[in-house]
Amino acid sequence: MDPRFDVELVAVTKRYGTTLAVDDISLRIPRASYCCLLGPSGCGKTTTLRMIAGHEAVSAGDILINGDNVTLDPPIRRGTAMMFQSYALFPHLNCLDNVAFSLKMRGIGKAERHAKAREFLGLVHMANYAERLPSQLSGGQQQRVALARALITRPKVLLLDEPLSALDPFLRIKVREELKRLQRELGITFIHVTHSQDEAMAMADLMVVMDDGRIRQSGPPREVFEQPVSAFVARFIGGHNVLQGARGPIAVRADRCRLGVAGDSPHVSGRVAAVEYQGTMVRVALAMDSGDEASALVPDAAFYSAPVEPGDAATLVWSEPDAHVLAEM
Amino acid sequence: MTYVRHKTPLPPAGKVEVRSTEGEGAANRHTLFAFVRPLRLTPEQVSWLQISPLALVLFCLVAAPIVLFLVVSFFDYDRIGIYPAFLMDNYRDLLTTPATLRVYISSLKFALIVWAITLFLGFNIAWFLIFHIRTTMMRTILFLLCAIPFWTSGIIRTIAWIPFLGRNGAFNQILMALHITEKPLTFLLFSDFAVIITYVHLFTLLMIGPIANSMGKIDPALLEAARDAGASRWRTMTDVVIPLSKTGIALGSILVFTQVMGDYFVVKTMSGGQSASIVSLLSNQINAMEYPPASANAMLLVIFVAITVACMMRVVDVRQELVK
Amino acid sequence: MVVAVSGSGRALGPSENRPWTFYALGGLFFGFLAFLYGPMFVIYLLSFQGPNGGVTFPMVGTSLTWFRDIVKPEQMADIPAAFERSIFLASVVSAITVVTSVAAGLGFRRRFRGSFILFYLAVASLVMPSLLVGFGIGLGFQVLGLHNNMFTSALGAQLTWTMPFGLFAMFAVVNRFNRSYEEAAADLGATAWQRLRHVTLPILLPGIIGVAMGAFTLSYDEYARTTLTIGNHNTLPLEIYALISSATSPMLFAIGTVTTAVSFLLIGMTLVVVFRMQRRRRAIATEN
């Protein structure tokens, strides 16, 4: 049997006492894909990841990995490996022994497990640091070692809990590329939890937006960005104005909005609240007369040909085809 | 601790005002006594000022008496007083009497048994409190429950066992009521058993505290990472938790060991005169005013304890642990 | 793919139920608590023994006879006077310990020449058999021709016990103290003394109260260091110690009950003070 999905969640629920952390979610992650679980803090994304990993019991529902129901299996039998947010490297063991730990637990001899561990340290370009203790490494280096330690178990699914949050912005973009490359080369599924929509859009094949214990929308990033289903998704992934259209709420991308004069095209009026120069674009934040907020991303040339200042009256204009009707509020 | 050592430059000649960049003791120009040339202290001098009362007490009342033991241990003595001399007799007597070896073995035996029991209890109770209790509030309450008896006098806690373990004591009555024994057990009180029970009662907290402190610093994600790697509970304990809490284990061991080695009261009270400890022997010599042999004995004990503690401290950097 | 390691894998699977180790260790823990409290409850109970009862069960009625005996003047031991002395000495020891160990704790934040020796001397003072410390001090006084006295030799002997304790407690307190508070105060123009008075001490206060309470109870219960240094008048533990060898009556247990009650009262009051202080701070913090 060759299942089409690496991971399937079937009506998975997690309750802590009376509070629902994860509320009846179902999700299918195709083979060898990069899946990002995206959402604000407390939305249940980390709990979902931990349930897939086997570190958190499932209150109801089933988890299938590679077609096998693993709901009651211990972590090691699931074919998953987890990379922890804090990396969780054993502080008393050097890099080599950290990476070799799971092999040691399986009773593999010292020479063999060290050779194997060196190989995986090489994979993440950390072979020269084998004898160092975790405390002697930088955050980025610790992360590589944690990655090697997770990969040495030859997982079918690698689970990453906010892997980039502890890194500085420049490093973050480099590691992003590297994780994506590794995922492609190894041909396994990565499930990556993040609260950053940039990160999710840059990396994901499948982007899953969660809120309040539920999946709000899932799909390829482009689809989610082009067609957000709700005001929440539109706001959370950013770059959208949620406005009141003729037939209910609509979302319009900020870069498709202009500052102009009230004419035939749809428009709303308000005042300029702030102007932010962003290099290629200028973002003009508006306080609408209705009390809502909106913004227009204007190319710099267009902005400077007719500049506005905070306090000026302004009208936000867009064209009808750019308005996307939201299915739900 | 983030402390950057400041190198205060020496004031260039001619300049009047260079204030120490830090130091609570440094006087400054805003005081009433502004006309007095400000007292300038380097940070190190401020530290010396701050630790001086402690240093005074420790040097005069701990270090000096040890030197005194060394000196007096060579003195001559009779029933009336002690006389300066340089005799090896006290040491010769001490090292040749079989009693010395006997009490050292007896004390060591108690220390090892009590160490093993308190380590087992302390490790498991600390594990329970740190890894099984989920809320901080509950953990604090349970820890306080362990700690409260520690605030009651050791003497009271020792004699508390007498009515409990005695021939007609509570324990025997419970046993007989449950028909576990017909006749009261007599070995319970005034025996080595009673001594060990009392020690465990008095000193287990000294083990729980440091071990729980070490375990509390272990990131719970490490246990999950171990589980992820397929480690069983047992392997998680031997390969992750024990190496990471060895500082607490060593610290607790030092405390329990030295407390047992230094005891004379529990042995006297609970063994019914059947056992002696090093210090109870010493206390007999002191009561008999035999100060020079007592000093020789004290010297031997100080060296013995110093060596054992130094060995245990080699296992871990206790200083690092305490200062960090 | 990694295959299962041990046969006990099922038990390691995620489960909302507690693992068996929880129940095993929980049982051990509560067994230990019973062991800890059992004998003490026995003496509390026996201190209410009837006038004709003895030091063991059964209880022959209940009475307050033995509590009354404590204060009876014709007793061979003068418990009330010893109690007074103990409280007084403990207060003095506690005050000195707080001042010196807070200063030393602050001093140890910097490296200074001699810190190494002082640290190990403090360790030595704690691990040295207590009777030996007392013997050394007593012997020293004798050699110098001084008389042992409660406020010289005995006070000193107790300080060798409480000051290292205070120092190590202060290490824990000081390490949690963020140095940037002091730096911020210095930036705002506070003098060294003002920094100490208005920033450092108030932040460290709960810990300092803890040291004061700890030093008080350590001194109040101390006997091994005090016995050879006290001179003519006994503290309470020494008086009890003398009573044990001479007489056994439930009065001993009554004294135990009373001293325990005193300890608990003290701890309770301290905890309330510290708790209130923290709550007030939290209240101020939320207001802001």
Side-chain angles (χ1 to χ4, degrees):
Chain A
M1 187 180 99
D2 186 26
R4 284 181 300 140
F5 300 103
D6 268 349
V7 178
E8 279 180 79
L9 305 182
V10 185
V12 170
T13 297
K14 177 68 188 180
R15 255 178 247 108
Y16 292 108
T18 53
T19 53
L20 264 178
V22 173
D23 185 5
D24 192 25
I25 64 170
S26 295
L27 179 68
R28 289 169 155 189
I29 302 175
R31 300 218 64 145
S33 45
Y34 203 113
C35 170
C36 282
L37 299 183
L38 173 70
S41 56
C43 71
K45 57 189 192 297
T46 298
T47 309
T48 305
L49 190 80
R50 290 171 55 78
M51 285 194 289
I52 299 171
H55 290 306
E56 205 82 63
V58 176
S59 305
D62 288 296
I63 295 173
L64 280 72
I65 290 174
N66 204 22
D68 298 325
N69 191 336
V70 298
T71 315
L72 296 174
D73 284 354
I76 193 66
R77 286 211 204 145
R78 297 180 169 219
T80 58
M82 177 128 168
M83 206 174 93
F84 293 84
Q85 187 174 6
S86 58
Y87 310 136
L89 293 175
F90 301 119
H92 59 299
L93 300 179
N94 65 24
C95 294
L96 194 63
D97 284 326
N98 258 291
V99 176
F101 188 85
S102 64
L103 302 179
K104 189 182 176 194
M105 293 302 113
R106 282 162 61 196
I108 290 171
K110 197 170 183 174
E112 189 185 340
R113 67 173 189 257
H114 278 179
K116 198 90 194 150
R118 269 183 215 286
E119 185 188 313
F120 275 84
L121 278 175
L123 184 72
V124 295
H125 312 298
M126 286 295 290
N128 294 335
Y129 297 85
E131 314 303 327
R132 298 257 191 113
L133 287 174
S135 58
Q136 297 165 321
L137 301 178
S138 72
Q141 292 169 331
Q142 288 185 24
Q143 195 200 35
R144 288 156 179 276
V145 176
L147 195 57
R149 188 178 69 176
L151 291 176
I152 203 169
T153 60
R154 299 215 178 266
K156 282 193 212 67
V157 180
L158 183 71
L159 307 167
L160 306 107
D161 187 6
E162 305 257 3
L164 308 178
S165 61
L167 305 177
D168 65 66
F170 288 107
L171 198 54
R172 210 173 285 169
I173 290 176
K174 239 187 98 194
V175 174
R176 230 151 74 170
E177 290 166 8
E178 219 164 312
L179 283 176
K180 188 78 187 158
R181 175 184 65 81
L182 263 175
Q183 186 263 331
R184 258 200 318 271
E185 284 177 12
L186 296 168
I188 62 174
T189 287
F190 278 28
I191 305 180
H192 174 141
V193 159
T194 179
H195 58 259
S196 151
Q197 70 282 6
D198 290 347
E199 213 169 288
M201 285 205 273
M203 305 181 77
D205 302 321
L206 174 65
M207 178 159 128
V208 180
V209 184
M210 292 184 68
D211 182 42
D212 206 15
R214 277 179 229 151
I215 293 177
R216 297 301 175 181
Q217 189 169 3
S218 70
R222 184 146 181 246
E223 180 190 306
V224 176
F225 191 74
E226 301 268 302
Q227 291 154 4
V229 294
S230 66
F232 168 79
V233 174
R235 288 203 184 96
F236 190 76
I237 58 176
H240 284 81
N241 290 317
V242 177
L243 301 162
Q244 206 54 43
R247 286 156 302 170
I250 55 165
V252 189
R253 280 166 52 170
D255 59 328
R256 300 280 160 88
C257 291
R258 285 171 286 123
L259 295 179
V261 286
D264 291 342
S265 10
H267 61 270
V268 274
S269 57
R271 255 168 214 291
V272 176
V275 175
E276 275 181 9
Y277 176 66
Q278 296 187 337
T280 53
M281 301 285 247
V282 177
R283 193 176 79 91
V284 181
L286 299 168
M288 314 313 302
D289 294 341
S290 60
D292 291 333
E293 284 172 21
S295 58
L297 268 180
V298 187
D300 58 337
F303 178 83
Y304 288 109
S305 64
V308 290
E309 277 182 35
D312 292 351
T315 306
L316 192 71
V317 185
W318 64 93
S319 56
E320 190 65 52
D322 286 332
H324 168 74
V325 179
L326 295 171
E328 39 189 299
M329 194 57 208
Chain B
M1 194 163 120
T2 56
Y3 163 62
V4 183
R5 182 168 181 175
H6 293 261
K7 285 213 173 98
T8 311
L10 285 175
K15 278 230 173 151
V16 186
E17 272 283 325
V18 176
R19 270 199 293 153
S20 147
T21 47
E22 57 166 48
E24 294 72 15
N28 63 79
R29 59 185 156 184
H30 301 301
T31 59
L32 275 176
F33 306 100
F35 54 86
V36 181
R37 198 162 154 272
L39 192 64
R40 266 178 264 126
L41 294 173
T42 64
E44 188 174 41
Q45 286 168 331
V46 174
S47 275
W48 279 336
L49 208 63
Q50 287 169 327
I51 55 96
S52 57
L54 176 76
L56 187 76
V57 166
L58 292 181
F59 276 102
C60 294
L61 301 176
V62 180
I66 295 176
V67 176
L68 188 66
F69 288 149
L70 186 66
V71 174
V72 173
S73 64
F74 296 107
F75 279 18
D76 197 3
Y77 71 102
D78 61 20
R79 277 187 215 161
I80 310 158
I82 56 177
Y83 311 102
F86 188 76
L87 303 173
M88 298 305 286
D89 298 25
N90 297 316
Y91 284 104
R92 195 181 316 125
D93 291 349
L94 178 69
L95 297 174
T96 51
T97 35
T100 309
L101 190 63
R102 207 171 53 235
V103 293
Y104 267 81
I105 288 174
S106 158
S107 284
L108 262 179
K109 180 191 73 187
F110 280 131
L112 285 178
I113 294 172
V114 172
W115 172 73
I117 297 174
T118 53
L119 179 60
F120 175 80
L121 285 174
F123 187 84
N124 283 295
I125 288 169
W127 185 297
F128 177 75
L129 291 176
I130 300 297
F131 298 127
H132 282 301
I133 301 300
R134 289 167 183 173
T135 61
T136 319
M137 179 78 171
M138 186 47 99
R139 194 177 300 143
T140 312
I141 290 171
L142 293 183
F143 187 79
L144 272 179
L145 276 179
C146 293
I148 283 170
F150 206 66
W151 283 310
T152 301
S153 155
I155 291 187
I156 302 292
R157 293 174 68 196
T158 304
I159 59 169
W161 283 98
I162 295 173
F164 192 83
L165 292 178
R167 204 168 178 287
N168 298 314
F171 191 63
N172 267 325
Q173 299 205 341
I174 293 168
L175 287 184
M176 288 195 291
L178 295 173
H179 298 289
I180 295 170
T181 56
E182 296 302 313
K183 282 186 288 182
L185 301 174
T186 50
F187 72 88
L188 293 177
L189 190 57
F190 303 133
S191 60
D192 286 357
F193 174 80
V195 174
I196 290 167
I197 284 277
T198 313
Y199 281 146
V200 171
H201 191 240
L202 289 174
F203 302 139
T204 303
L205 181 73
L206 300 179
M207 207 52 115
I208 299 175
I211 296 180
N213 188 40
S214 288
M215 280 185 186
K217 291 181 194 159
I218 298 176
D219 180 358
L222 292 182
L223 303 194
E224 289 181 348
R227 220 160 72 99
D228 230 29
S232 61
R233 279 182 220 291
W234 180 259
R235 290 306 294 268
T236 305
M237 183 180 87
T238 56
D239 285 60
V240 180
V241 178
I242 290 181
L244 291 176
S245 49
K246 68 176 186 194
T247 315
I249 293 172
L251 212 55
S253 302
I254 289 173
L255 292 175
V256 169
F257 186 82
T258 55
Q259 284 297 311
V260 174
M261 290 301 285
D263 166 74
Y264 65 102
F265 173 73
V266 174
V267 162
K268 259 186 187 167
T269 315
M270 301 306 284
S271 78
Q274 291 174 33
S275 293
S277 74
I278 306 168
V279 183
S280 73
L281 189 75
L282 206 130
S283 117
N284 292 341
Q285 287 173 327
I286 296 169
N287 290 335
M289 309 252 265
E290 298 168 348
Y291 295 144
S295 296
N297 205 341
M299 218 44 230
L300 185 66
L301 181 55
V302 166
I303 291 168
F304 181 76
V305 170
I307 290 173
T308 350
V309 171
C311 287
M312 291 196 211
M313 281 171 101
R314 282 185 71 94
V315 179
V316 287
D317 191 350
V318 173
R319 181 157 195 261
Q320 186 80 8
E321 174 77 355
L322 283 171
V323 179
K324 273 251 157 95
Chain C
M1 181 45 220
V2 179
V3 201
V5 193
S6 67
S8 63
R10 181 68 185 82
L12 294 179
S15 155
E16 300 211 327
N17 298 324
R18 301 284 206 158
W20 64 268
T21 47
F22 170 79
Y23 297 99
L25 293 180
L28 181 80
F29 179 78
F30 286 101
F32 175 72
L33 284 190
F35 166 78
L36 211 52
Y37 285 91
M40 301 182 63
F41 279 119
V42 169
I43 66 158
Y44 302 150
L45 203 61
L46 283 172
S47 62
F48 295 96
Q49 177 73 284
N52 299 319
V55 289
T56 53
F57 287 109
M59 297 280 286
V60 187
T62 55
S63 74
L64 292 175
T65 316
W66 308 106
F67 289 95
R68 258 179 251 122
D69 268 12
I70 299 174
V71 289
K72 247 188 219 165
E74 70 266 27
Q75 289 293 331
M76 61 176 114
D78 191 351
I79 297 295
F83 175 73
E84 230 168 82
R85 274 194 290 272
S86 271
I87 292 282
F88 191 56
L89 181 60
S91 308
V92 175
V93 167
S94 170
I96 295 176
T97 303
V98 163
V99 175
T100 55
S101 56
V102 168
L106 295 176
F108 261 96
R109 292 193 295 180
R110 300 176 207 95
R111 278 182 198 287
F112 58 89
R113 269 167 288 162
S115 69
F116 190 77
I117 294 174
L118 193 64
F119 177 84
Y120 283 104
L121 204 52
V123 172
S125 183
L126 281 186
V127 301
M128 226 167 66
S130 289
L131 190 77
L132 274 194
V133 179
F135 173 46
I137 295 169
L139 193 60
F141 267 63
Q142 196 169 349
V143 168
L144 297 174
L146 302 169
H147 288 287
N148 281 337
N149 176 291
M150 189 165 93
F151 287 106
T152 54
S153 48
L155 176 68
Q158 294 204 341
L159 287 178
T160 63
W161 181 229
T162 57
M163 277 168 61
F165 155 81
L167 178 70
F168 295 139
M170 282 309 294
F171 281 163
V173 172
V174 166
N175 287 336
R176 265 179 271 147
F177 175 70
N178 186 343
R179 198 132 204 196
S180 51
Y181 292 130
E182 281 179 328
E183 286 159 0
D187 280 353
L188 297 171
T191 64
W193 172 248
Q194 285 172 323
R195 287 203 296 274
L196 181 67
R197 164 76 186 75
H198 296 288
V199 178
T200 315
L201 288 183
I203 293 175
L204 299 184
L205 195 56
I208 293 173
I209 291 174
V211 170
M213 180 190 80
F216 188 96
T217 43
L218 285 181
S219 160
Y220 177 70
D221 293 339
E222 218 298 315
Y223 62 93
R225 289 181 195 228
T226 324
T227 180
L228 297 172
T229 50
I230 190 67
N232 297 324
H233 300 288
N234 275 349
T235 57
L236 188 58
L238 295 173
E239 206 73 359
I240 300 171
Y241 183 83
L243 272 179
I244 292 173
S245 36
S246 55
T248 34
S249 80
M251 186 185 94
L252 215 52
F253 304 148
I255 297 170
T257 307
V258 172
T259 56
T260 306
V262 170
S263 288
F264 275 39
L265 200 69
L266 194 77
I267 295 155
M269 282 184 338
T270 318
L271 287 180
V272 166
V273 169
V274 171
F275 181 71
R276 281 215 177 149
M277 205 179 289
Q278 280 173 342
R279 203 172 50 179
R280 199 169 50 217
R281 280 187 191 173
R282 221 171 298 145
I284 292 169
T286 45
E287 264 171 41
N288 294 344

